[in-house]
Amino acid sequence: MPILLPVLTCNYEGGGLNKATLRYRFDGLQNTLSRAPKRPALILFCEAKNYGAAGNTGLYQAAEAITDVLGTPYAALLGRGDRGPITPAIFYDPGLLLPRFWIDRGEVDPYPDQVNICRFAVLDADARTRPELIAAVDHFPGDHPQARVKAAARLHRWAKDRTPVIVGGDLNEQPSGEHYPPWNPEPCTPLVRRRKARHVGGAWVHSSDALDSLVGTWNPVTGVRDDGIGFHLLSELAWIASGHTMRIQPTVIDKPGEVPLTIDHLLVNDALLPHVIPTSFRTLVAPSGTQEGSDHIAVYAELRM
């Protein structure tokens, strides 16, 4: 019998660490998770700040907070990163998923395309035919488009893997396509332009090279993507399933001098595509006045394995 696997990705700013008190607060994360239509089997998490310190205290506090709000035990895997202490993490329901492969933080010199990649067993009734799901969590660099292109290349090998693969995280970039929130880099601050745009022919243009290297470049004439390597955006699949009527929402909070963009994403490879429920996709926007404790908005979707 197929198993429903809800998946959520969120960037919880600074992991909930209060800089003044050096203590963690998870009420904003709990508010976000409480809005998920169904209890996530898998949470692809960015900015697990200092979660590995003092015996993984932050990691286990976060897992406990998630357990408290969702009402079932969650296990945790702490990832690795090269951009300081804001590493990715994965939280999962061990009643539905069990890891078969995960590069431990202590493993020396792993292959880059194996880091922050978990191969899960999906716990269906028959152990002899138990399917697998590969989950990748990533937080692309925010400082320069070319740095994101390099980060995206690490995921290329998984696009055509025969095992279903889901990728989630703050990818710090919006893909090409007029169905995503429009933006003009010119009115933005110089710093935002340097981080999110390219200077071409004397003008600043939206940079989408990293995301497009995974999903293909949007062709406005044909209305499809060209040169895709095998990944698909769940937000776009939902837009297509809606008959092109759904508005794809930004996933960052509006700030002065910036333009809200859709930069937090869930992607699936060809092998996972038949298992996606496109109409389940949601951007979990907070009600007015709700304190989220983060400048990003979580996104959610469901798989049937």
Side-chain angles (χ1 to χ4, degrees):
M1 188 174 192
I3 293 179
L4 186 70
L5 295 178
V7 180
L8 181 146
T9 189
C10 69
N11 180 333
Y12 189 48
E13 188 174 359
L17 182 64
N18 185 302
K19 295 179 182 179
T21 65
L22 297 182
R23 294 179 180 274
Y24 291 100
R25 290 193 60 176
F26 297 108
D27 49 337
L29 175 63
Q30 291 176 319
N31 287 341
T32 295
L33 295 176
S34 69
R35 291 198 304 280
K38 292 183 174 66
R39 186 172 63 209
L42 184 63
I43 300 169
L44 304 173
F45 187 95
C46 290
E47 297 204 13
K49 188 173 183 179
N50 292 332
Y51 278 17
N56 292 326
T57 298
L59 182 72
Y60 297 139
Q61 285 183 4
E64 186 173 352
I66 293 169
T67 296
D68 287 343
V69 72
L70 295 178
T72 196
Y74 277 76
L77 299 168
L78 186 59
R80 301 163 66 133
D82 56 3
R83 298 175 49 227
I86 52 170
T87 57
I90 293 178
F91 299 93
Y92 64 94
D93 180 346
L96 296 172
L97 298 167
L98 281 181
R100 286 180 170 172
F101 172 90
W102 176 257
I103 296 288
D104 187 81
R105 287 166 61 84
E107 189 162 338
V108 178
D109 199 25
Y111 288 109
D113 61 6
Q114 300 288 327
V115 174
N116 300 332
I117 307 284
C118 187
R119 183 179 294 270
F120 283 105
V122 180
L123 299 180
D124 63 354
D126 191 343
R128 294 169 300 177
T129 59
R130 188 168 286 160
E132 288 189 329
L133 173 68
I134 294 173
V137 59
D138 216 326
H139 190 172
F140 285 3
D143 52 355
H144 195 272
Q146 285 305 114
R148 290 191 291 277
V149 169
K150 182 178 179 181
R154 187 182 73 85
L155 297 169
H156 286 180
R157 64 153 293 184
W158 299 105
K160 290 297 184 181
D161 199 280
R162 289 180 292 180
T163 302
V165 177
I166 187 160
V167 178
D170 173 5
L171 305 187
N172 260 309
E173 190 170 279
Q174 181 170 286
S176 58
E178 65 270 14
H179 47 298
Y180 283 88
W183 80 291
N184 176 9
E186 293 289 352
C188 296
T189 66
L191 179 59
V192 169
R193 287 199 297 266
R194 291 288 180 188
R195 289 180 167 180
K196 301 294 187 188
R198 293 181 290 112
H199 202 240
V200 178
W204 288 98
V205 297
H206 167 206
S207 176
S208 60
D209 292 346
L211 258 294
D212 288 355
S213 78
L214 297 173
V215 301
T217 303
W218 183 257
N219 186 325
V221 176
T222 62
V224 295
R225 293 194 178 273
D226 295 334
D227 298 322
I229 65 170
F231 278 117
H232 311 271
L233 291 149
L234 283 185
S235 53
E236 190 163 273
L237 295 176
W239 174 73
I240 293 169
S242 75
H244 300 177
T245 61
M246 185 192 89
R247 176 177 174 265
I248 298 177
Q249 297 175 304
T251 65
V252 290
I253 307 299
D254 197 359
K255 296 180 180 179
E258 300 188 23
V259 175
L261 298 173
T262 305
I263 64 175
D264 299 84
H265 299 283
L266 290 169
L267 290 77
V268 298
N269 73 342
D270 285 341
L272 188 51
L273 195 56
H275 304 280
V276 172
I277 305 174
T279 55
S280 67
F281 179 85
R282 298 287 186 277
T283 301
L284 302 181
V285 179
S288 178
T290 303
Q291 296 300 312
E292 295 296 273
S294 186
D295 54 354
H296 286 249
I297 303 168
V299 295
Y300 165 97
E302 295 166 12
L303 313 173
R304 186 174 283 115
M305 299 290 292

